Amino acid sequence: MTAPILQSTLPFAPWRDPRTARLPGIIPCPPDGWLLRDDAFAGQMGERDRLIASATDRVHALLPEGRAAAEELFDAVLARLAQDAGYRIAADHVTRPDGVAVPLDRGAPLLTLGRLVQEDLCLLEARGEEHILTGAVLCFPASWTLAQKIGRPLTGIHVPVKGYAGDLARRVQRLFDAIRPEQPLMRYNALLYADPTLHQPRREEEVRTRPPASEKVFLRSERQCLLRLPVTGAVLFSIHTFVVRVADLTPDQREGLDRLHA
């Protein structure tokens, strides 16, 4: 059995902070903090390389109308990585902190970025009264599939989410409309899992098997950032996935875990 890819610690416990304990739990993100690199970098990037090479159609989608935003994001990520001493950026490739050289292919912007950063990257653009998912590289889905979500609006994307329709949907849409390029936002989720696998797609119609609580020995948390791209106006929804053993949480973090559900 392949060893799980885990972080050694959880940097933030959203269930312990009153700002993030309730939906939508939005807080400001540092202007240059929408990309993170942590101690699971090498493991996660190796898995991203594998998935992008072997399951491209499952982890990547880009509508024609999303290409301009994807190219703008390509430039924005490279500019951000130029500030990280762990990366070495050349004219035609980037060498990651783990020593892997990734060719720069502007013709495949999201696939290239998916091999450079730990985050999954989703682009949403205003169409009428809602934002539509126009492109994404999604290697580490947690119970959803890109094929079912691409081209759908926020309300369609969140159909399986209990309690999303109505007031919460309107609040989220107002939030997307109001995001300013100079002030990214972020939120966290957290769920208990029995399986630490990062790539866990699930179609909306599939029934999820729920293991007993005694088997849920891993905690999975997503740091989700929202960033407005200034030229196209698209919103980047980035997802940094943490998976840690419950046993590695601090005593303070373990308080309140009984309120989490997988």
Side-chain angles (χ1 to χ4, degrees):
M1 180 180 293
T2 304
I5 300 169
L6 306 173
Q7 279 87 357
S8 58
T9 61
L10 184 70
F12 181 77
W15 64 94
R16 299 288 294 153
D17 190 315
R19 301 173 302 165
T20 54
R22 298 179 61 184
L23 291 175
I26 299 291
I27 57 177
C29 174
D32 60 351
W34 47 282
L35 295 176
L36 289 180
R37 180 160 61 90
D38 60 36
D39 63 343
F41 181 88
Q44 287 199 358
M45 296 313 299
E47 180 67 355
R48 298 182 72 83
D49 288 345
R50 184 189 72 81
L51 289 165
I52 288 172
S54 65
T56 309
D57 291 342
R58 293 207 308 268
V59 302
H60 170 262
L62 179 59
L63 300 180
E65 56 266 40
R67 174 156 291 276
E71 292 179 355
E72 183 181 6
L73 178 62
F74 184 87
D75 293 334
V77 171
L78 288 182
R80 177 67 189 87
L81 297 186
Q83 303 172 22
D84 186 330
Y87 288 85
R88 299 194 304 275
I89 301 177
D92 61 350
H93 72 277
V94 172
T95 303
R96 299 187 318 221
D98 60 353
V100 174
V102 178
L104 289 176
D105 183 358
R106 194 176 181 85
L110 296 181
L111 286 172
T112 301
L113 297 181
R115 297 192 59 208
L116 289 176
V117 298
Q118 284 179 259
E119 281 77 10
D120 284 319
L121 305 169
C122 304
L123 290 168
L124 296 108
E125 301 184 65
R127 298 289 186 269
E129 295 183 353
E130 289 197 75
H131 278 69
I132 307 296
L133 181 63
T134 59
V137 56
L138 179 74
C139 293
F140 302 154
S143 297
W144 61 290
T145 61
L146 182 53
Q148 282 193 308
K149 307 299 185 181
I150 191 70
R152 294 173 70 175
L154 285 170
T155 50
I157 290 170
H158 290 91
V159 162
V161 179
K162 184 178 179 180
Y164 182 83
D167 182 61
L168 181 57
R170 288 188 290 270
R171 288 163 59 195
V172 171
Q173 184 56 57
R174 286 196 298 268
L175 176 70
F176 269 72
D177 293 337
I179 296 170
R180 295 175 287 116
E182 67 274 15
Q183 180 54 76
L185 304 171
M186 63 182 179
R187 67 176 300 272
Y188 291 80
N189 64 21
L191 293 170
L192 294 172
Y193 274 68
D195 183 356
T197 303
L198 287 162
H199 182 73
Q200 294 203 37
R202 180 168 62 93
R203 294 183 62 84
E204 292 177 4
E205 64 273 15
E206 292 178 5
V207 178
R208 184 176 181 181
T209 302
R210 297 184 179 275
S214 60
E215 296 181 11
K216 297 175 184 177
V217 296
F218 299 97
L219 185 132
R220 180 169 178 146
S221 178
E222 295 178 340
R223 179 185 188 258
Q224 303 168 347
C225 293
L226 295 165
L227 174 73
R228 173 84 67 195
L229 299 178
V231 177
T232 60
V235 174
L236 168 66
F237 179 79
S238 69
I239 308 167
H240 188 107
T241 301
F242 301 91
V243 182
V244 300
R245 298 184 192 275
V246 170
D248 289 335
L249 297 175
T250 67
D252 181 69
Q253 289 175 339
R254 284 197 289 271
E255 291 186 17
L257 279 182
D258 57 328
R259 297 195 297 268
L260 301 182
H261 301 281

